[in-house]
Each structure stands twice: as C-alpha cells, then as structure tokens.
Amino acid sequence: MKDYTFEEFKHDLQNNNIKKPDAILAIARGGLTFAHHLAEKMNMREVFSINAISYDKDKKLDSINIFNIPDLKDYENILVVDDISDSGDTFIEVLKVLKETYPNKNFQTIAIFYKPTSKFKPDIYFHETNEWINFFWEVY
Amino acid sequence: MKDYTFEEFKHDLQNNNIKKPDAILAIARGGLTFAHHLAEKMNMREVFSINAISYDKDKKLDSINIFNIPDLKDYENILVVDDISDSGDTFIEVLKVLKETYPNKNFQTIAIFYKPTSKFKPDIYFHETNEWINFFWEVY
C-alpha cells in the first residue's frame, strides 16, 4: 500500500513533459484531477470527460458502462487520461467505444500508475507499481 | 492576490458537509478537481462535466460557449460545481442552458470562492473574497 500525495503528483507533473494534444479526455472519476492539472499545465481549455462505471454482473463478470461521450469532431489528437491502469479493463473498454465512435481520430493514453499485470499498457505513465495506491483525492 | 493551497482545500472539504446530490456536474476546467474531490468525499460515481469557454467577441462583449451537456435524465438533484463565482457569468450561462435542457430538475450550485461583486451567488461557497485567487492547480 502506497500513499500518492499531492506533493508527489506536483513533482511528477513538473518533471514530465507531455506533447500537447488537441483535446484532453478524462475518464471519470479517477482521471478528473489529473486531466485538470494537465490542462492547466498545457494551457488548454479543451478538457472533457467520459464516464466509465463498472457494475458487478452476476458476481462473475464485471461489465463496464461507458457513457457521456463528448463531441470530439473538431480534434485530431486526443489524450485519454486515467489515474491508473490496474486491470486495464477501463482503458480497453473506453478506447473500444471511442474508436467505434471516432474511427479516424488518434487516441493516446496516459496514466499516473501502470501495473505490470494490467491487460493494457498506457502510451505514457509515470510509475510502474504492484502496490495498492491511495491517491490524495481519496482521503476524505 | 492569494494562494489557495491543496492543504487549505483539503481542510475546507473536511470541514464542510454538503448534502449528497444525485449527480455532480463540474464546470470545466475550473470545477474539475473540486468536483472530483466532492465525488470521492460523498462516495459518488455520478460525476459529469460540462464545458464553458469564454470567447472575446469584438473585444466588447464576452460570449460564453456552453457545450457537452451530459445526460442528466436519471437524476433529480444536481450539484453544479465551479472553483469561483467571479463575474458570475459562467454560472449564469451554464444554469440557463441546463434549465432549458432540463426544466424539471433541481440544480444547486457550489463554488470554493464567491466574490461579492459577482452577479451570481452560489447556493454554497466556502469563502467570500475580493482577492485574485491562485489555485493550486494553476501553478505549473
């Protein structure tokens, strides 16, 4: 178990230069704070969100509901943002829906943490970890 | 000019109890981090965003473009979240669009800061100020 503090987050943001996309897309909830800070850092107002909510289905299979797909027609390069690629299911399902909806767009993915056991490896990540992460926005 | 630090934000969140709505709606960009933390605090996954971008029109009048209205049909009480009610124009325009789209919903507004010169007073705010605020997400 590891605490990921605001100070570490700020340090990570200040020490990683990410190529400016045309739009930033936060996966809610987990990606919202990260996407907001990325948008501030890159001085971008084109920051949107998409919802991904997992539901326990029969307690056997997880089903992820993807909704509130924003209007991306004016943007070519879209940075899809989440806090962590844990199982990888969220990124996989979100990208599936995005590519179905916008087959000609270029989607890049970013997460703060990547677990090597994840089925999905983000294009950019700050840390690889096997630990459970307590993000600073989860402390209330 | 006042710095609003993450520590103050955390303190404000821990010392204000807000009635749990059915959905949280962040006004992007400014409201994203606040909405994320509120959703974590209230253990809610129903957190969405709406975009409000001001454009200089003829250098005389500001025009605010409101877009990416999320699907709110399943929710009755919606908490609309921004960082500050400064001129008040953003809240006024967002609420106008929301009430046109969803005339029968109950919208409550919350901001961290409220300026007494604002044309709009949020239902809930943590601080009243006349100062320029530097939010911790603006430091990069």
Side-chain angles (χ1 to χ4, degrees):
Chain A
M1 192 135 90
K2 178 193 153 37
D3 286 330
Y4 184 65
T5 66
F6 176 68
E7 287 308 312
E8 288 171 84
F9 176 60
K10 197 171 146 179
H11 178 268
D12 284 342
L13 275 165
Q14 284 168 338
N15 289 280
N16 283 279
N17 277 316
I18 295 138
K19 190 164 170 276
K20 195 171 173 168
D22 302 318
I24 292 172
L25 180 54
I27 302 177
R29 286 185 305 196
L32 286 170
T33 296
F34 186 24
H36 184 188
H37 284 71
L38 285 171
E40 292 283 350
K41 190 188 175 190
M42 299 195 274
N43 198 22
M44 291 176 61
R45 302 201 159 266
E46 300 79 5
V47 52
F48 313 127
S49 72
I50 189 168
N51 290 89
I53 301 187
S54 299
Y55 294 101
D56 248 346
K57 216 167 118 186
D58 312 323
K59 304 199 174 175
K60 273 195 299 188
L61 223 64
D62 267 2
S63 162
I64 301 181
N65 188 15
I66 313 292
F67 58 106
N68 286 323
I69 305 167
D71 181 358
L72 298 172
K73 67 176 181 303
D74 293 340
Y75 313 100
E76 282 315 305
N77 298 302
I78 296 132
L79 186 62
V80 184
V81 178
D82 209 351
D83 51 356
I84 185 165
S85 187
D86 194 330
S87 72
D89 288 336
T90 303
F91 267 126
I92 289 168
E93 292 302 314
V94 165
L95 282 177
K96 198 177 121 190
V97 170
L98 287 173
K99 284 173 177 169
E100 278 165 10
T101 315
Y102 295 105
N104 299 316
K105 304 291 184 186
N106 176 29
F107 295 103
Q108 268 229 322
T109 49
I110 187 169
I112 303 168
F113 290 95
Y114 160 65
K115 290 202 175 167
T117 50
S118 172
K119 280 168 279 182
F120 183 88
K121 189 171 187 169
D123 297 306
I124 309 164
Y125 54 90
F126 296 162
H127 307 281
E128 188 170 318
T129 186
N130 284 303
E131 286 184 285
W132 179 268
I133 307 296
N134 286 325
F135 291 96
F136 59 88
W137 50 77
E138 294 173 336
V139 299
Y140 303 99
Chain B
M1 192 136 88
K2 180 193 152 35
D3 286 330
Y4 185 63
T5 66
F6 176 67
E7 286 308 313
E8 288 171 84
F9 176 61
K10 196 170 144 178
H11 178 267
D12 284 342
L13 275 165
Q14 284 168 337
N15 289 279
N16 284 279
N17 276 316
I18 295 136
K19 192 166 168 275
K20 194 171 175 170
D22 301 319
I24 292 172
L25 180 54
I27 302 177
R29 287 184 304 194
L32 286 170
T33 296
F34 186 24
H36 185 187
H37 283 71
L38 284 171
E40 292 283 350
K41 190 189 175 189
M42 297 195 278
N43 198 23
M44 290 176 60
R45 303 201 158 265
E46 300 80 5
V47 52
F48 313 127
S49 73
I50 189 167
N51 289 90
I53 301 187
S54 299
Y55 294 102
D56 246 347
K57 216 168 118 185
D58 312 324
K59 301 199 177 176
K60 274 195 298 188
L61 222 65
D62 267 2
S63 162
I64 301 181
N65 188 16
I66 312 292
F67 58 105
N68 285 323
I69 306 165
D71 181 358
L72 297 172
K73 67 176 184 303
D74 294 339
Y75 313 100
E76 283 314 305
N77 299 302
I78 296 133
L79 186 63
V80 184
V81 179
D82 208 350
D83 50 357
I84 185 164
S85 187
D86 193 330
S87 71
D89 288 337
T90 303
F91 267 126
I92 289 167
E93 291 303 314
V94 166
L95 283 177
K96 198 176 121 190
V97 170
L98 287 174
K99 283 173 178 170
E100 278 165 11
T101 315
Y102 295 104
N104 299 316
K105 305 290 184 186
N106 175 31
F107 295 103
Q108 268 229 323
T109 50
I110 186 169
I112 303 168
F113 289 95
Y114 160 65
K115 289 200 175 170
T117 51
S118 173
K119 282 168 277 178
F120 183 88
K121 189 170 187 169
D123 298 305
I124 310 164
Y125 54 91
F126 295 163
H127 307 282
E128 189 169 318
T129 186
N130 285 302
E131 288 184 284
W132 178 271
I133 307 296
N134 287 325
F135 291 96
F136 60 87
W137 51 78
E138 294 173 334
V139 298
Y140 303 99

